[in-house]
């Protein structure tokens, strides 16, 4: 043993072999293996490159070669990189190990696909150094091996197709590719068609599976449903051989595997324990839904639907995707853990949330979405540890949950909702035990609910659906289906109560009783469902044997017939059959097995259902067409109606038309239905067109009825012309004028009503609505008069009135020229209203003269002497004021005088006379102003003479006792005269004030005179002051004390000015400095209060001695300074407190609340602005407020709701924020500190926001274009040509062209964006594509219209010379339309090679054909001019069937008037 263990080389080979084949015994314990010559040759011979190991019943066998028979079992292969002897040193550098399973092809394919192709083609480093040619070869090798693997059977010597071989089908994409390959490589046409059919079915989901990783979880939820429908369609198809069951089983398995791996990949990108709960919950629920839906789909299809499908039943046991089901349950467990954690957090207070901070530690290092048997024990252990951790938390919240539930237990609905909401918590053992009473209450509520369901069922189960005592009714449901659906709804409600009870009440004492009661009720529901179905089956089967029940349809019976009693058309396909089809379809969907007899009848009815519905529609149209026609239009539609009725009556089959058409002749039935539909469509289209014209005419006549006949006669003429043009258009469409006579007469009567209505309205208001007559009111030659004169106005009015009365005589309507007019009698019928017209005319002229008389009183002032009148009657200021006020009132009244007066249809222009009145008022105003000015000047002259004389007397200085006495006498006289002069002064001032008010300026000399009067007053007072000189001696003592106070005050002021907080303190803003400054202000205020006591004592002494109060301005200034300082610092503290509260907010939260900061600034702005006095502090605060106000409008550029992370980095760099700043930690204060930078960079910030928004807008616009390019398709319609061939033609041209035009406008608008450069390439591609589309669509539209016109003509063989040309054009056009039918997307039109030249050539050739046709017809008309009386189509019919007398006869009345028949020879 020791010697053997020393050979490391053999130990490596044998150990690897043991591990690969799963051997229990040690291989080196077998001597034969240890001394195998093949092993020795491989190790010791440099030329021996390979060692093969295979396990058989006899044990392990070694060989230095691989035989083709070796691939039947697992094979392990060792081979060398270099031809060297294996040593201990090169053992791991020279030996490669590989294995083969199933076949060499499969092993090579999987190695290339899983290992080498991804590394060499997708890895950046390897693919860069790998030759592109070799890359292509590797890709081709992978594709070729896959094809061979999917089509090979290794049990045969040659490659042969075998559908049961699914070894190469590893993914759904492999299955889809398999059928694509079989479409091109099948041996038989039938197998190719079958493969093509399956390929088309799988195309519904193939694109999604190819791009599965790019889909979201919610999109894959929809994909599961779509996949279910596709595999169901594949299994149920009966047009080809059935889909193999083993292959379907394999397909279901690999689809489930793809869904499971997709869910694991998507959920693997999330941190299920730390990501937000709402995000984790949404993704987990989507993943669970994917797993559950596919498991349910497989169970339902293989366990029920397919097992009952008789044409292709499922024979194996139902398929259950166990791994996917367990993955879904694992995801449910993860969701439960996160949900419990979230519910616990909800009940825990914020201070205790740290208890749950480490609850997810047991799941560290464990990926919960990786489910397999090896990870299951680890997962269960982690869950167990997690549950132990949360036990203390559960105990904490159990009481809180109990209190919460106890508050709402009186409301059953709220109690149920609470248990549903917190069912995850209630299921926890600790909480469940704590809520025992509450759960018993819930159980009682559920028991009551089940009793209510049972009672409701028993009361309604025997009633009629929709009645108060019957089952609730649904729409479009028969009674049996409605009853079953109603019971199913009750079942769901009972199931919900059972699920709630199973979730939270399984340990309750009454649970089993409740569960039995609910299960019994469900059994009762099931029994009722089956009874309803059995009763329905019996009724239908009994009806099948009764021919009168309407359930029997015989294939050889007539399809329809005319009722001989009422002439109505009846289809032999009863409405009961339609109801039966719906019932069978709905009951099958509900899971019931339809009896074979009923199913057979349903299948037969379904076979003819489509044709029957069409025939019923035709029959309904036939039976109701007379009601749809307008009475006056029936003669116009008589021929079409007779042709339609003839087709119905001649419903014969066969070439001779002798046998009736029956249900069992599908080809003849289809042809007959098409003929019926075509005839009905023609008649309906003709009726719709005529009704549309009739409706249009109605609208036009209604409009005319509301148009004023007197004022808007041109609109009446236009409306009447539109009616005539419309009738001419109808006649041009082929309707005979004689058939239209009744219709035209009808509209003449409608026009008569409209005209008479407006005629009567016009007569009633003729004086108001006649054409307006313009008149000027003048003041000329001293009197008022009209222009034009009154009599001329009167004559013109009566002339217009006569013209209106004669309108009916000129009105012709829409009839023919020779028809008798019905409108002339309108004048006689309304003659009674003419008396009123003349009476209103006379009243009109009386009102016109009244306007003249109203203006006479305003021109009276022009006939008097204004200056003399004013001088005689005005003296006091009150007289002038009263006249000025009266003049102002009159001026306003003149302004209110109308510039124009309208008397019905007469427009009177009063502007000329109004201008004359304005001139007269202005002249009177000037006279009043001049007289007032003269009066003021007279008063001022008298006052000035008195003052001058008095001042000369007072200016004389007395030199003796006699002079003093004389001076006193003069003083007394002046005192007596002074009261007489003062009133003159006051009156002069009042008049001057009035003059200044009315004229805008008074006499300036009055101010000089007033100063002179004041000087006179001072001179009068100086005589009394001479005796008071001695009083000054007594005031000396007070003055000395005042000096001492001034000295102390100056000392205090000096200290205050030095120590008070200055502007520099305010600027620094240090907190400790501010506190010391506040304390200093308080101490100085106390010291200054002592000085204030001394000052008040001095003021009292000055008052006692009659001294003038000293100047204490210094004290007042110091006091005010101290008060201002105190107020300033209080203001600063208040501002800083509010500012810091907002600055500490984080920016993400606060950016939507910046209005709070703006309100704060506006509050302080108003507060500072309203301050009575401003200081340095208010200036500083104001500057701070202004600075931040400048930032407010720019903050919107920093909000960044639309900014991407890159844009945020640009923003941070632009503002100069420190490195490492993140949006999550950004505070509002950080931005405020950069206020100046934000303002300076406002334009850059705006550009950054604009750029982000602009790029989003352009990207969304291009995305809309891409979506339009994918979704825009042509709307095609079937068109039957002259050879009865069907071709697809394009309709709705206008919508397509408008869409292309709108998209081109959209691209043009994108170019105007400053951010267009980044998208220029993609926009250019779209611009070029849309320009091409616009050109191609215009040409193709013209081509289709010309082709539709020319094809029936050339199809009948007209113009044989041009037939070859048209055939070439026809072939090219059909080729283009065939391509469009295959791919009807609009944008693919630009991808067709040479489409532009082809369209231009076709258009040119069609124009040539059109020209040749016109020349041919012109030649025939020149030969026989009466051909000019008929259209091109009629002429072509005559030329093509010139030997057919009936055809010629049908056109004779168009060629020769009065000739209806020419006997044939």
């Amino acid at each position: 043993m020791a010697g053997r263990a020393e050979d490391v080389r053999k130990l490596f080979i044998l150990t690897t072999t043991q591990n690969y084949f799963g051997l229990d015994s040690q291989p080196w314990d077998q001597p034969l293996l240890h001394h195998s010559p093949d092993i020795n040759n491989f190790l010791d011979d440099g030329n021996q490159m390979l060692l093969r190991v295979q396990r058989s019943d006899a044990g392990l066998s070694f060989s230095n070669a691989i035989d083709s028979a070796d691939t039947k079992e697992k094979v392990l292969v060792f081979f060398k990189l270099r031809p060297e002897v294996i040593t201990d040193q090169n053992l791991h550098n020279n030996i490669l190990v590989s294995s083969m399973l199933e076949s060499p092809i499969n092993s090579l394919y999987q190695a290339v696909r899983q290992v080498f192709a991804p590394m060499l083609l997708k890895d950046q480093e390897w693919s860069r150094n790998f030759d592109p040619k070799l890359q292509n070869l590797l890709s081709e090798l992978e594709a070729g091996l896959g094809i061979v693997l999917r089509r090979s059977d290794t049990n045969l010597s040659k490659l042969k197709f075998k559908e049961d071989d699914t070894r190469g089908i590893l993914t759904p994409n492999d299955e889809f590719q398999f059928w694509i390959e079989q479409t091109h490589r099948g041996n038989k046409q039938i197998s190719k068609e079958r493969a093509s059919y399956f390929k088309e079915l799988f195309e519904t989901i193939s694109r999604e599976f190819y791009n599965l990783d790019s889909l979201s979880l919610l999109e894959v939820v929809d994909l599961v449903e779509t996949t279910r429908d596709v595999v169901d369609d594949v299994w149920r198809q009966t047009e080809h051989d059935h889909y193999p069951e083993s292959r379907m089983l394999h397909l279901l398995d690999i689809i489930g595997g793809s869904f499971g791996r997709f869910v694991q990949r998507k959920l693997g990108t999330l941190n299920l324990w730390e990501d937000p709960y709402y995000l984790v919950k949404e993704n987990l629920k989507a993943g669970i839904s994917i797993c559950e839906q596919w498991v349910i789909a497989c169970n339902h299809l293989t366990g029920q639907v397919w097992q009952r499908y008789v044409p292709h039943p499922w024979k194996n046991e139902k398929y259950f995707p166990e791994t996917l089901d367990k993955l879904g349950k694992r995801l449910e467990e993860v969701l439960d853990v996160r949900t419990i954690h979230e519910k616990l957090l909800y009940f825990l207070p914020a201070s205790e949330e740290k208890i749950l901070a480490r609850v997810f530690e047991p799941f560290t290092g464990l990926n919960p979405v990786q489910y397999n048997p090896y990870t299951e024990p680890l997962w269960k252990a982690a869950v167990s540890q997690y549950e132990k951790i949360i036990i203390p938390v559960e105990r904490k919240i159990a009481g809180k949950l109990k209190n919460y539930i106890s508050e709402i237990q009186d409301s059953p609905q709220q109690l149920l909702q609470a248990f549903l909401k917190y069912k995850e918590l209630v299921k926890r053992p600790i909480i469940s035990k704590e809520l025992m009473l509450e759960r018993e209450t819930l159980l009682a509520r559920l028991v009551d609910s089940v009793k209510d369901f049972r009672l409701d069922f028993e009361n309604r189960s025997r009633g009629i659906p929709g009645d108060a005592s019957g089952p609730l009714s649904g729409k479009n449901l028969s009674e049996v289906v409605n009853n079953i659906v109603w019971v199913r709804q009750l079942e769901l409600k009972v199931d919900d109560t059972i699920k709630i009870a199973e979730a939270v009440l399984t340990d309750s004492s009454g649970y089993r009783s409740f569960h039995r009661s609910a299960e019994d009720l469900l059994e009762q529901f099931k029994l009722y469902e089956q009874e309803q179905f059995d009763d329905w089956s019996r009724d239908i089967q009994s009806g099948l044997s009764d021919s009168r029940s309407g359930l029997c349809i015989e294939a050889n019976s007539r399809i329809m017939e005319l009722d001989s009693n009422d002439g109505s058309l009846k289809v032999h396909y009863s409405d009961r059959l339609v109801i039966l089809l719906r019932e069978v379809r709905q009951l099958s969907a509900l899971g019931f097995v339809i009896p074979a007899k009923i199913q057979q009848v349903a299948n037969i009815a379904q076979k003819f259902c489509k044709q029957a519905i069409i025939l019923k529609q035709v029959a309904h149209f036939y039976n109701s067409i007379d009601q749809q026609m307008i009475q006056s239009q029936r003669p116009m539609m008589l021929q079409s109606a007779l042709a339609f009725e003839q087709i119905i009556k001649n419903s014969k089959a066969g070439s001779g038309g002798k046998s009736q058409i029956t249900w069992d002749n599908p080809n003849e039935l289809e042809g007959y239905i098409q003929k019926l539909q075509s005839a009905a469509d023609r008649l309906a289209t003709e009726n719709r067109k005529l009704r549309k014209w009739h409706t249009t005419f109605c609208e036009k006549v209604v409009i005319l009825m509301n148009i004023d006949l007197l004022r808007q006669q041109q609109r009446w003429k236009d409306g009447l012309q539109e009616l005539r043009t419309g009738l001419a258009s109808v006649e041009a469409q082929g309707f005979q004028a004689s058939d239209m006579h009744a219709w035209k007469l009808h509209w003449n009567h409608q026009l008569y009503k409209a005209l008479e209505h407006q005629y009567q309205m016009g007569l009633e208001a003729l004086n108001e609505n006649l054409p307006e007559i313009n008149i000027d009111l003048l003041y000329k030659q001293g009197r008022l008069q009209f222009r034009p004169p009154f009599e001329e106005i009167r004559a013109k009015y009566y002339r217009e009135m006569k013209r209106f009365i004669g309108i009916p005589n000129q009105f012709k309507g829409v009839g023919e020229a020779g028809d008798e007019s019905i409108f002339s009698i309108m004048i006689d019928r309304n003659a009674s209203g003419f008396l009123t017209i003349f009476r209103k005319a006379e009243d009109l002229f009386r009102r016109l003269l009244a306007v003249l008389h109203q203006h006479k009183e305003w021109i009276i002032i022009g006939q008097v002497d204004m200056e003399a009148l004013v001088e005689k009657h005005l003296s006091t200021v009150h007289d002038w004021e009263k006249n000025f006020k009266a003049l102002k009132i009159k001026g306003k009244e003149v302004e209110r005088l109308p510039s124009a007066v309208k008397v019905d249809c007469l427009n009177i222009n009063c502007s000329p006379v109004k201008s004359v009145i304005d001139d007269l008022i202005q002249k009177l105003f000037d006279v009043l102003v001049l007289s007032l000015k003269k009066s003021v000047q007279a008063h001022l002259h008298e006052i000035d003479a008195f003052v001058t004389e008095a001042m000369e007397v007072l200016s004389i200085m007395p030199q003796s006792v006699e002079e003093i006495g004389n001076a006193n006498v003069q003083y007394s006289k002046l005192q007596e005269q002074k009261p007489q002069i003062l009133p003159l002064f006051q009156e002069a001032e009042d008049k001057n004030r009035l003059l200044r008010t009315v004229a805008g300026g008074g006499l300036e000399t009055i101010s000089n005179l007033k100063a002179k009067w004041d000087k006179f007053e001072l001179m009068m007072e100086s005589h009394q002051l001479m005796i008071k000189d001695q009083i000054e001696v007594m005031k000396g003592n007070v003055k000395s004390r005042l000096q001492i106070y001034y000295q102390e005050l100056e000392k205090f002021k000096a200290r205050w000015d030095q120590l008070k907080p200055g502007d520099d303190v305010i600027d620094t803003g240090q907190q400790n400095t501010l506190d010391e400054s506040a304390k200093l202000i308080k101490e100085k205020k106390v010291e200054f209060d002592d000085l204030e006591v001394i000052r008040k004592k001095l003021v009292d002494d000055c008052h006692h001695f009659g001294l003038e109060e000293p100047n204490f301005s210094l004290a007042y200034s110091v006091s005010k300074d101290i008060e201002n300082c105190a107020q300033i610092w209080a203001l600063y503290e208040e501002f800083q407190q509010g500012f810091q509260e907002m600055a500490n907010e984080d920016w993400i939260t606060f950016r939507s609340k910046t209005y709070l900061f703006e309100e704060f600034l506006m509050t302080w702005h108003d507060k500072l602005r309203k301050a009575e006095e401003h200081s340095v502090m208010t200036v500083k605060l104001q500057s701070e407020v202004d600075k931040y106000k400048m930032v407010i409008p720019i903050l919107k550029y920093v909000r960044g709701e639309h900014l991407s992370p890159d844009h945020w980095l640009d923003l941070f760099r632009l503002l100069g924020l420190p490195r490492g700043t993140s949006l999550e930690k950004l505070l509002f204060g950080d931005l405020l500190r950069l206020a100046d930078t934000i303002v300076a960079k406002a334009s850059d910030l705006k550009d950054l926001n604009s750029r982000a928004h602009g790029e989003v807008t352009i990207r969304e616009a291009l995305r809309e274009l891409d979506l339009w390019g994918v979704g825009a398709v042509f709307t095609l319609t079937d068109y039957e040509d002259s050879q009865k061939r069907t071709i697809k033609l394009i309709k709705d041209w206008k919508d397509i062209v408008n869409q292309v035009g709108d998209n081109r406008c959209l691209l043009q608008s994108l170019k105007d964006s400053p951010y267009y450069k980044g998208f220029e390439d993609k926009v250019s591609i779209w611009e070029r594509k849309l320009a091409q589309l616009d050109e191609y669509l215009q040409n193709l539209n013209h081509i289709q219209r010309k082709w539709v016109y020319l094809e029936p003509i050339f199809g009948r063989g007209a113009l044989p010379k041009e037939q070859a040309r048209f055939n070439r054009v026809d072939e090219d056009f059909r080729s283009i339309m065939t391509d469009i039918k295959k791919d009807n997307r609009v944008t693919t039109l630009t991808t067709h090679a040479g489409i532009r030249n082809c369209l231009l050539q076709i258009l040119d050739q069609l124009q040539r054909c059109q020209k040749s046709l016109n020349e041919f017809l012109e030649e025939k008309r020149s030969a026989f001019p009466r051909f000019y009386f008929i259209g091109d189509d009629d002429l072509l019919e005559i030329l093509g069937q010139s030997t057919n007398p009936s055809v010629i006869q049908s056109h004779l009345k168009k060629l020769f008037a009065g000739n209806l028949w020419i006997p044939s020879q």
Side-chain angles (χ1 to χ4, degrees), residues 320 364 409 492 560 624 670 793 915 928 1017 1024 1049 1309:
F320 180 75
T364 304
Q409 62 182 358
L492 292 176
M560 60 182 182
S624 62
E670 193 66 30
I793 297 170
S915 299
L928 289 173
E1017 292 278 2
Q1024 305 300 318
L1049 181 61
S1309 66

Side-chain angles (χ1 to χ4, degrees), residues 1239-1266:
V1239 174
K1241 302 285 187 179
S1243 59
D1244 296 335
L1245 293 172
K1246 183 177 180 181
D1247 291 342
L1248 178 61
N1249 276 268
S1250 300
R1251 173 159 57 87
H1253 183 72
E1255 290 175 358
V1256 169
T1257 303
I1258 294 176
R1259 195 171 291 109
E1260 289 177 353
L1262 290 176
R1263 190 178 299 114
E1264 290 178 2
L1265 271 179
D1266 292 337

Side-chain angles (χ1 to χ4, degrees), residues 1358-1393:
L1359 291 179
K1361 295 180 180 179
E1362 296 295 326
Q1363 191 68 41
R1365 184 195 305 275
F1366 183 83
N1367 289 341
R1368 291 194 300 272
V1369 173
D1370 181 75
E1371 182 179 355
D1372 293 340
F1373 177 71
R1374 291 178 185 274
S1375 175
I1376 291 174
M1377 298 310 297
T1378 302
D1379 293 340
I1380 292 176
K1381 177 184 177 183
K1382 292 179 181 177
D1383 188 351
N1384 66 340
R1385 290 176 299 164
V1386 175
T1387 53
T1388 57
L1389 190 61
T1390 60
T1391 62
H1392 297 174

Side-chain angles (χ1 to χ4, degrees), residues 409-423:
Q409 62 182 358
D410 293 336
S411 174
Q413 192 64 30
Q414 292 186 5
L415 181 65
L416 181 61
Q417 293 297 328
F419 272 97
L420 283 175
K421 184 175 181 180
Y422 302 110
K423 64 180 180 181

Side-chain angles (χ1 to χ4, degrees), residues 1273-1281 1285-1293 1296 1336-1348 1351 1366 1368-1386 1388-1389 1392-1393 1395 1398-1399 1402 1406:
V1273 297
F1274 288 111
T1275 304
L1276 303 179
T1277 183
D1278 289 333
Y1279 175 81
E1280 187 174 272
D1281 61 11
R1285 293 179 298 175
T1286 301
I1287 181 175
K1288 291 288 186 179
L1289 295 182
I1290 301 173
K1291 65 177 183 178
D1292 296 336
W1293 283 99
I1296 298 173
Y1336 298 166
L1337 290 173
Q1338 295 292 343
N1339 291 338
L1340 188 57
N1341 185 14
H1342 294 320
I1343 290 171
Q1344 179 174 303
R1345 290 165 57 191
K1346 289 182 178 295
W1347 183 88
V1348 170
E1351 192 279 331
F1366 183 83
R1368 291 194 300 272
V1369 173
D1370 181 75
E1371 182 179 355
D1372 293 340
F1373 177 71
R1374 291 178 185 274
S1375 175
I1376 291 174
M1377 298 310 297
T1378 302
D1379 293 340
I1380 292 176
K1381 177 184 177 183
K1382 292 179 181 177
D1383 188 351
N1384 66 340
R1385 290 176 299 164
V1386 175
T1388 57
L1389 190 61
H1392 297 174
I1395 183 66
C1398 183
L1399 291 175
I1402 292 175
L1406 284 174

Side-chain angles (χ1 to χ4, degrees), residues 935-951 978 980-990 1005-1006 1008-1014 1016:
S935 178
V936 174
Q937 289 174 344
H939 290 317
L940 292 180
H941 182 269
E942 185 177 355
I943 295 170
D944 184 63
F946 168 75
V947 172
T948 302
E949 182 180 355
M951 289 180 67
K978 185 179 176 181
Q980 300 174 4
I981 300 299
L982 276 176
L984 293 177
F985 204 103
Q986 184 63 39
E987 189 171 356
E989 283 188 336
D990 292 341
T1005 56
I1006 195 171
N1008 298 331
L1009 183 59
K1010 188 175 182 180
K1012 196 173 182 179
W1013 180 270
D1014 293 339
F1016 162 71

Side-chain angles (χ1 to χ4, degrees), residues 440-597:
E440 291 293 339
T441 302
L442 175 64
L443 180 60
R445 302 289 188 227
L446 296 180
V447 170
D448 293 341
S449 298
V450 172
K451 290 180 180 178
D452 292 341
F453 295 148
R454 186 187 301 275
L455 182 61
D456 184 58
F457 170 73
E458 292 174 351
N459 292 336
R460 293 177 179 270
S461 58
R462 301 306 174 189
I464 300 174
D467 290 350
S469 61
L472 302 177
S473 62
K475 293 183 178 180
N476 299 324
L477 297 178
S478 62
E479 181 176 355
V480 60
V481 177
N482 186 85
N483 292 343
I484 293 174
V485 170
W486 169 66
V487 170
R488 289 280 176 93
Q489 292 173 347
L490 290 177
E491 288 180 13
L492 292 176
K493 294 179 180 179
V494 176
D495 283 336
D496 290 341
T497 60
I498 294 175
K499 290 178 181 178
I500 296 171
E502 289 177 348
V504 298
L505 300 174
T506 51
D507 57 340
S508 298
S509 58
Y511 171 73
R512 292 188 177 180
S513 174
F514 161 77
H515 194 271
R516 284 196 301 272
S517 176
E519 290 294 338
D520 291 344
L521 183 57
L522 289 177
E523 288 297 327
Q524 198 171 349
F525 290 162
K526 297 291 185 184
L527 181 61
Y528 177 80
E529 285 184 26
Q530 193 60 42
E531 289 177 355
Q532 291 290 319
F533 179 74
D534 293 342
D535 293 343
W536 174 81
S537 299
R538 285 192 296 270
D539 291 343
I540 297 300
Q541 290 179 357
S542 63
L544 295 179
S545 58
D546 186 1
S547 60
R548 295 173 298 175
S549 65
L551 295 175
C552 301
I553 180 171
E554 297 180 4
N556 57 357
S557 63
R558 294 181 60 185
I559 58 174
M560 60 182 182
E561 63 181 354
L562 288 171
D563 194 324
S564 58
N565 296 327
D566 56 6
S568 62
L569 182 63
K570 295 183 178 179
V571 179
H572 293 165
Y573 190 97
S574 68
D575 294 336
R576 186 65 184 89
L577 277 176
V578 178
I579 297 173
L580 175 63
L581 284 176
R582 186 165 62 247
E583 289 177 343
V584 168
R585 184 169 61 253
Q586 292 171 345
L587 291 172
S588 298
L590 291 171
F592 291 97
V593 179
I594 307 301
K597 190 174 182 181

